[in-house]
Amino acid sequence: MEANPVVHNTFVLMRDYSRPPESVFRAFSDVATKRRWFAEGDHHLVEQFELDFRVGGAERLRYRLSPKTPFPNALIAAEGVCLDIVPDRRVVIASAMTFESRPISVTLVTATLTAIDSGTRLTCIHQGVFFDGADGPQIREAGWVKLLERLGTAV
Amino acid sequence: MTAAAANIDDVFRALGDPTRRKIIEQLSAKPVSASALAEPLGITLTAVGQHIRVLERSGLVQSEKVGRVRTCRVRAAGFAVIERWIDSQRTLWQTRLDRLAQVLEEPE
């Protein structure tokens, strides 16, 4: 781990939903709906979410981690682009993420919708390259080491 | 569960307690025995053992028992941001897809 400048990682998630593919697809294409499941979260506050849902269109997400996390108020930003859209079938989005303005990962997310008897099967393939090169040690310093320092003053 | 596979939530939980943060702070200086941790914290050895178990589960701390002495130390790899980041992205997407189910359940 320490010797590698980058780490590649792929994970696959699968979910069955009780709605038809058109409804699930709408949750990807409608910006207000996507904001609710994709952008919002219990551990952060969304500062910005924009989605221009067309091939070549941009997806922008900026959020700050909540004060109760190990990185209070840290800014995480994802700048993405829609690469492939097949209505009711597929959405492919690539995005570059930064942690406190430092590049930390680039991901390619392929969401495939398949009609099943009970509704829709969503397969989500998340392929990422996680940087642990020049910026890695800096992130480490800015992150966990800073955390330890902060703990020293907080306790 | 291996430490590398420890969930980011375990880390949040582990660090959410002031006593455990004090333990990490002490261990970040040097390895310390469980009994030496207990004294300045004003808690029992049993209580220290419970905190250590939570910290070990989070991958942040490791301990080793030699004879009657349990020595605890910070596990440097547990602080590897990249592993944590990958874990957190997986957890994030699992949460997202569960939340999508809730959104889809609502009447259109």
Side-chain angles (χ1 to χ4, degrees):
Chain A
M1 188 61 127
E2 295 296 325
N4 288 336
V6 294
V7 177
H8 292 86
N9 172 276
T10 297
F11 60 83
V12 180
L13 301 175
M14 205 178 281
R15 292 283 192 288
D16 288 352
Y17 298 113
S18 61
R19 297 282 171 145
E22 308 89 81
S23 301
V24 180
F25 183 79
R26 209 172 303 130
F28 281 82
S29 64
D30 180 72
V31 60
T33 309
K34 185 167 184 182
R35 180 186 172 110
R36 291 179 53 206
W37 68 265
F38 174 81
E40 306 285 352
D42 295 335
H43 300 298
H44 63 256
L45 281 174
V46 177
E47 290 197 338
Q48 182 189 28
F49 180 64
E50 291 174 8
L51 174 61
D52 180 10
F53 194 74
R54 58 186 172 86
V55 172
E59 180 178 72
R60 268 191 201 93
L61 171 61
R62 290 163 61 88
Y63 60 86
R64 286 191 187 276
L65 296 180
S66 81
K68 286 182 177 174
T69 67
F71 304 100
N73 304 316
L75 177 68
I76 294 177
E79 295 274 337
V81 58
C82 302
L83 296 178
D84 190 32
I85 296 172
V86 180
D88 306 338
R89 295 280 301 279
R90 184 168 67 237
V91 177
V92 182
I93 295 179
S95 60
M97 299 190 80
T98 58
F99 182 93
E100 297 280 70
S101 303
R102 296 185 196 86
I104 185 163
S105 65
V106 173
T107 59
L108 183 65
V109 177
T110 303
T112 307
L113 309 178
T114 313
I116 55 174
D117 287 347
S118 59
T120 304
R121 174 159 297 165
L122 168 67
T123 307
C124 185
I125 303 177
H126 184 288
Q127 296 167 289
V129 52
F130 298 85
F131 307 130
D132 193 20
D135 290 320
Q138 290 173 28
I139 292 171
R140 203 157 296 176
E141 281 172 33
W144 292 104
V145 175
K146 195 164 95 184
L147 165 71
L148 289 175
E149 285 172 2
R150 195 165 41 236
L151 291 176
T153 58
V155 294
Chain B
M1 189 196 314
T2 66
N7 195 287
I8 193 84
D9 286 342
D10 288 333
V11 178
F12 282 14
R13 202 173 302 125
L15 293 172
D17 179 85
T19 305
R20 286 196 284 274
R21 290 201 296 265
K22 282 182 193 172
I23 290 174
I24 293 255
E25 189 198 354
Q26 280 194 266
L27 295 182
S28 63
K30 62 176 178 6
V32 179
S33 72
S35 52
L37 282 171
E39 208 175 69
L41 291 170
I43 58 176
T44 64
L45 197 54
T46 310
V48 166
Q50 285 165 351
H51 286 306
I52 293 297
R53 270 196 293 281
V54 175
L55 287 167
E56 282 189 310
R57 201 156 49 226
S58 73
L60 299 174
V61 164
Q62 62 186 22
S63 73
E64 185 187 24
K65 195 166 188 181
V66 178
R68 293 170 59 88
V69 179
R70 180 171 289 281
T71 303
C72 311
R73 68 189 75 231
V74 165
R75 191 175 169 280
F79 288 84
V81 167
I82 297 302
E83 290 172 30
R84 295 296 173 200
W85 188 253
I86 294 172
D87 289 340
S88 74
Q89 290 304 295
R90 185 196 296 264
T91 305
L92 180 65
W93 272 95
Q94 284 168 341
T95 310
R96 280 171 172 168
L97 298 186
D98 292 342
R99 206 157 42 222
L100 174 55
Q102 289 170 19
V103 170
L104 291 170
E105 284 305 312
E106 295 167 9
E108 292 181 48

